[in-house]
Amino acid sequence: MPRFSANLGFLFADRPHGERIAAAAVAGFPAVEMHWPYEVPAATLRTALDRAGVRMLGINTPVGDRARGDNGLAAVPGREAEFAAAFDLALSYAVALGGTAVHCMAGVVPPDRRDAAERTYVANLTAAADKAAAAGKTILIEPLNPRDAPGYFLADVDQAAAIVQATGRANVKIMFDCYHVQIVGGDVIRRFECVRPLVGHVQIAAVPSRAEPDEGELAYPAILAAFEAAGWDGFVGAEYKPRGRTEDGLGWMAAYPAAEAVAVATGDAR
């Protein structure tokens, strides 16, 4: 049965990071993941994780300068030094928090610079992967759909697979977010099966709403059963935007036998 991690960028987001960790533990999540925890000292977060008894999985590299339209830096030509600094910060947090992976956000690239961006991306990821390997960590790259992330360099699973292979590094993997994959091309199960050896993490959310994964186009009980049949035994990240209070929407977990006790414990079984 799936093991779910709570993505604290979206879940329990009405409270400080330390309280989000505690809330995820109370809800029964054995692991958490974060977007950008950098405003909180790593030691503070580590204390919260230890007290809650949950594992940290992945965090994202800093996006850069939002005012400039940045959404990551790894594939942006001419900003290699900024990416290296951003990655070093993310890796230091991953190490301090006992995390497993760093998601290297690619960034926004104009169409006429895509060839240069690919070369930059591969070079940056290769260097980052070598640093991460020395620390026992994985590098993740995630295709983002152009509706939510216009101009983002990495939008397609096949493109992600080609980038991973171009790095030649075994610790560079795909973050397979079913929400983004469905919007870009659909055929989620088949696409997962085609890239399964390259997948390092899985995430879920409803399509098109990005709410709890119990509505919309995707039948997640069937999808996750197919992923398990294909050999996936890692965590599945709950990276959705709750329709309301996070605790009030956890009934979706009752569709999975291993998670049913969590839904009952939080009083949200349906």
Side-chain angles (χ1 to χ4, degrees):
M1 291 298 104
R3 295 180 296 161
F4 295 108
S5 58
N7 189 297
L8 302 183
F10 292 151
L11 272 60
F12 310 105
D14 56 342
R15 62 206 82 182
H17 277 91
E19 295 180 22
R20 296 180 202 182
I21 292 170
V26 170
F29 288 99
V32 298
E33 50 200 73
M34 292 183 171
H35 288 159
W36 305 285
Y38 305 110
E39 71 272 20
V40 182
T44 301
L45 294 174
R46 183 58 186 259
T47 297
L49 290 165
D50 291 343
R51 285 176 177 169
V54 299
R55 295 177 55 186
M56 173 60 70
L57 299 183
I59 60 174
N60 295 349
T61 53
V63 295
D65 185 354
R66 288 287 195 191
R68 293 178 59 177
D70 291 343
N71 194 14
L73 298 167
V76 182
R79 301 183 69 182
E80 291 84 353
E82 292 176 75
F83 169 73
F87 176 77
D88 287 347
L89 175 61
L91 182 60
S92 72
Y93 264 71
V95 170
L97 300 179
T100 60
V102 174
H103 168 208
C104 292
M105 298 194 67
V108 176
V109 177
D112 62 350
R113 302 201 72 192
R114 290 188 66 84
D115 288 346
E118 182 170 333
R119 293 191 295 271
T120 299
Y121 198 26
V122 171
N124 280 339
L125 290 174
T126 302
D130 290 343
K131 293 179 182 178
K137 309 302 179 187
T138 297
I139 297 295
L140 295 173
I141 62 172
E142 179 183 14
L144 303 183
N145 79 78
R147 185 167 72 205
D148 289 337
Y152 195 76
F153 176 73
L154 187 64
D156 181 79
V157 171
D158 292 338
Q159 179 194 7
I163 294 291
V164 168
Q165 291 168 337
T167 68
R169 298 297 188 268
N171 65 326
V172 180
K173 299 288 186 180
I174 298 170
M175 180 120 73
F176 192 98
D177 188 323
C178 297
Y179 167 80
H180 292 293
V181 173
Q182 172 68 5
I183 291 172
V184 171
D187 204 11
V188 170
I189 292 174
R190 179 60 177 161
R191 288 178 184 275
F192 179 84
E193 291 171 343
C194 288
V195 298
R196 165 65 192 93
L198 304 179
V199 173
H201 189 49
V202 171
Q203 292 178 329
I204 60 174
V207 178
S209 67
R210 208 172 189 179
E212 283 85 349
D214 57 4
E215 65 177 45
E217 301 171 5
L218 295 177
Y220 278 113
I223 288 170
L224 296 184
F227 285 10
E228 184 178 8
W232 180 253
D233 60 359
F235 280 93
V236 174
E239 194 196 31
Y240 60 84
K241 298 179 179 180
R243 293 181 287 256
R245 185 171 174 264
T246 300
E247 290 90 338
D248 295 337
L250 292 175
W252 63 269
M253 298 177 76
Y256 307 89
E260 186 172 0
V262 175
V264 173
T266 57
D268 196 44
R270 297 178 183 175

